[in-house]
């Protein structure tokens, strides 16, 4: 049975800007105040590309190549430290979607800390860490360590997500990176999913319809919420704005396409979500780890 939790267990809003700044020791990573005075990292490559990453939620909110932001943050996103940031690359951990605990888990609602920073030939790398605390344990009573390594290169944004069981008992989880891409929804398409088994959550998310993808290019003609099981390690997103983004992964076994259509009338035309996910349970014994890598590259 799921444990109950109260507002008293909510994480405190992160205010340790000086501490975060002290944790960064490379020139091309800057710690500053973002929206809502939340601590934000700005990563700049020697090649001119840029990324922004909030410690709250460990959420990448911007990835710019040639001054074009390839990610999307919804206009209804709030930066209060009380709700997840709606946009960019939010974490879903230790639960993807609905389930025994809150929607998409708690990692997107907690403050991550800076573990290390590096400069690799002019390209910045930052590693964030998340550990269990009263807020997470009220929902999911396990000890864990999650590391999130973000690397920015000329045309590439790479992330490595590593979960380690630091408890004395086994646990299981599901997870995803809920990536929002800037797009023209009427012109956007995703290639590479043909032949995959699908779980279509439209019209009933509680009873998804099983099927197989037969299209070479999957489009977004209306409301889309579909899981692709055993997806390939490489997909191509044409964002309908003149950009083709290659989405490579290691160990993210599944993919999810989502666009809310008229249920989010203010902005649905401006983005699509292409998510790397692990829909099946990952089982970890004490001291075991699981790692998955995502690489986004502009063609």
């Amino acid at each position: 049975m799921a444990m109950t939790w109260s507002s008293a267990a909510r994480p405190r809003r992160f205010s340790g800007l000086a501490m975060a700044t002290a944790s960064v020791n490379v020139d091309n990573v800057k710690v500053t105040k973002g929206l809502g005075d939340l601590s934000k990292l700005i990563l700049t490559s020697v090649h001119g590309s840029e990324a922004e990453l909030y410690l709250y939620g460990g959420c990448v909110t911007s990835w710019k190549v040639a001054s074009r932001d390839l990610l999307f943050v919804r206009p209804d996103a709030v930066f209060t430290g009380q709700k997840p940031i709606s946009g960019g690359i939010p974490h879903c951990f230790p639960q993807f979607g609905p389930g025994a605990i809150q929607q998409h888990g708690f990692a997107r609602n907690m403050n991550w800390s800076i573990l290390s920073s590096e400069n690799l030939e002019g390209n910045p790398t930052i590693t964030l860490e998340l550990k269990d605390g009263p807020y997470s344990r009220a929902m999911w009573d396990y000890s864990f360590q999650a590391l999130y390594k973000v690397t920015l290169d000329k045309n590439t944004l790479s992330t490595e997500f590593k979960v380690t069981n630091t408890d004395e008992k086994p646990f299981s989880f599901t997870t995803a990176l809920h990536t929002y891409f800037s797009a023209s929804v009427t012109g956007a398409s995703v290639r590479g999913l043909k032949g995959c088994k699908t779980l279509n959550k439209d019209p009933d998310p509680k009873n998804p319809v099983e099927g197989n993808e037969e299209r070479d290019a999957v489009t977004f003609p209306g409301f889309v919420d579909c899981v692709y099981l055993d997806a390939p390690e490489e997909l191509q997103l044409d964002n309908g704005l003149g950009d083709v983004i290659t989405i490579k992964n290691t160990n993210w076994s599944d993919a999810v396409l989502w666009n809310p259509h008229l249920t989010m009338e203010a902005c649905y035309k401006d983005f699509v979500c292409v998510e790397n996910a692990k829909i099946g349970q990952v089982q970890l014994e004490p001291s075991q780890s699981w790692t998955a890598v995502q690489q986004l590259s502009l063609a």
Side-chain angles (χ1 to χ4, degrees):
M1 184 174 68
M3 298 184 67
T4 58
W5 58 286
S6 66
S7 58
R10 280 193 170 278
R12 291 174 294 173
R13 181 165 141 172
F14 188 86
S15 58
L17 183 62
M19 184 173 65
T21 303
S23 301
V24 171
N25 56 11
V26 295
D27 293 336
N28 50 0
V29 178
K30 178 183 177 182
V31 183
T32 186
K33 285 187 177 181
L35 295 172
D37 285 339
L38 296 176
S39 294
K40 179 177 74 171
L41 303 174
I42 300 175
L43 283 64
T44 306
S45 168
V46 69
H47 303 289
S49 56
E50 185 177 283
E52 296 183 0
L53 171 62
Y54 277 80
L55 295 185
Y56 179 72
C59 186
V60 177
T61 53
S62 176
W63 169 41
K64 293 179 181 177
V65 178
S67 299
R68 300 194 311 281
D69 204 333
L70 299 168
L71 300 180
F72 182 81
V73 175
R74 285 165 29 189
D76 62 343
V78 295
F79 292 80
T80 62
Q82 297 298 315
K83 292 180 63 177
I85 297 171
S86 299
I89 312 178
H91 286 273
C92 302
F93 173 84
Q95 175 183 286
F96 174 68
I101 64 176
Q102 66 187 24
Q103 175 86 0
H104 290 324
F106 50 70
R108 61 184 190 153
N109 298 337
M110 295 181 69
N111 297 311
W112 296 58
S113 60
I114 299 170
L115 189 65
S116 64
S117 57
E118 298 176 79
N119 183 337
L120 304 174
E121 299 181 351
N123 297 310
T125 293
I126 192 84
T127 300
L128 303 186
E129 180 184 46
L130 182 68
K131 291 184 175 181
D132 55 284
Y135 177 66
S136 69
R137 281 187 169 272
M139 289 176 274
W140 197 65
D141 193 19
Y142 298 101
S143 175
F144 70 92
Q145 180 199 49
L147 299 179
Y148 191 50
K149 184 178 181 180
V150 179
T151 301
L152 179 69
D153 204 333
K154 181 178 180 180
N155 294 324
T156 301
L157 180 71
S158 301
T159 64
E160 179 184 283
F161 184 49
K162 180 180 180 181
V163 178
T164 300
N165 182 348
T166 57
D167 212 314
E168 296 179 351
K169 55 185 181 291
F171 63 63
S172 61
F173 63 90
T174 58
T175 182
L177 294 178
H178 199 311
T179 309
Y180 288 71
F181 291 97
S182 293
S184 171
V185 72
T186 55
S189 63
V190 178
R191 292 184 176 272
L193 292 167
K194 186 176 183 179
C196 288
K197 180 180 178 181
T198 58
L199 299 175
N200 191 348
K201 297 184 179 182
D202 178 30
D204 185 358
K206 294 182 179 180
N207 294 288
V209 178
E210 295 186 13
N212 287 281
E213 183 56 68
E214 298 178 353
R215 293 169 290 179
D216 290 315
V218 181
T219 57
F220 298 82
F223 180 83
V224 174
D225 189 358
C226 191
V227 173
Y228 292 81
L229 300 176
D230 297 321
E233 294 182 351
E234 182 174 322
L235 303 175
Q236 288 81 38
L237 166 66
D238 183 332
N239 66 10
L241 299 171
D243 303 307
V244 176
I245 298 168
T246 299
I247 305 168
K248 293 182 180 180
N249 85 84
T250 302
N251 218 26
W252 290 107
S253 57
D254 312 299
V256 182
L257 300 190
W258 181 70
N259 182 272
H261 197 51
L262 297 178
T263 62
M264 204 171 290
E265 196 166 3
C267 62
Y268 80 90
K269 296 179 182 179
D270 300 321
F271 76 91
V272 297
C273 286
V274 184
E275 310 167 35
N276 277 318
K278 189 72 174 179
I279 301 300
Q281 296 280 343
V282 178
Q283 307 277 347
L284 288 183
E285 296 295 323
S287 300
Q288 283 188 337
S289 298
W290 175 88
T291 303
V293 176
Q294 172 175 277
Q295 186 182 77
L296 309 178
S297 300
L298 182 65

